[in-house]
Amino acid sequence: QVQMVESGGGLVEAGGSLRLSCTASGLTALDYVMRWFRQAPGKEREGVACISWKSGIASYADSVKGRFTISRDNAENTLYLQMNSLQPEDTAMYYCAADPFLGAFSAEYCAGSFAYWGRGTQVTVSS
């Protein structure tokens, strides 16, 4: 069974940076689509970045493009989200999620449902 544990959240001033980590265990499928989501109080959950575990092909929401970078270390079974130029509107609980797939990676997978989720790590950006 896949388990995912996020870490790296915290309090940072506007303009600062954080790097979130998501350690995954139990990865046995040929490939996974992995995504970082965030949810602020009273707002809908938003997918911010997505990556193919095998190929590293990534995509981003417009709200974070150019500021956030998703990456993975296959050897360490760890997913990362480097967040730069953070703004108060980035304040949210951040979650990592994974879902297995077969064949060539498609950005459509990023919009699908995810079977495995972490419990989240809080990011707070002060103005």
Side-chain angles (χ1 to χ4, degrees):
Q1 182 176 352
V2 175
Q3 294 185 331
M4 308 182 76
V5 180
E6 302 95 337
S7 62
L11 174 64
V12 63
E13 293 184 350
S17 298
L18 282 175
R19 188 176 80 158
L20 305 183
S21 299
C22 172
T23 301
S25 60
L27 299 177
T28 59
L30 289 177
D31 203 351
Y32 291 85
V33 53
M34 295 198 170
R35 198 173 190 191
W36 284 99
F37 292 85
R38 66 185 181 186
Q39 188 164 22
K43 295 188 176 181
E44 291 188 357
R45 187 173 62 200
E46 176 189 19
V48 297
C50 184
I51 192 168
S52 161
W53 183 251
K54 184 177 180 180
S55 69
I57 298 172
S59 62
Y60 299 89
D62 288 342
S63 58
V64 306
K65 198 171 293 183
R67 300 188 298 124
F68 290 12
T69 302
I70 188 171
S71 63
R72 85 280 188 243
D73 184 330
N74 300 70
E76 296 293 329
N77 279 351
T78 303
L79 178 73
Y80 298 102
L81 186 68
Q82 177 67 44
M83 305 185 295
N84 299 328
S85 301
L86 283 162
Q87 299 301 317
E89 52 266 33
D90 295 315
T91 295
M93 184 71 79
Y94 283 71
Y95 302 89
C96 60
D99 201 63
F101 73 95
L102 296 174
F105 179 72
S106 168
E108 294 180 355
Y109 292 128
C110 298
S113 61
F114 285 76
Y116 308 107
W117 291 80
R119 294 188 174 185
T121 186
Q122 177 68 38
V123 172
T124 303
V125 185
S126 63
S127 56

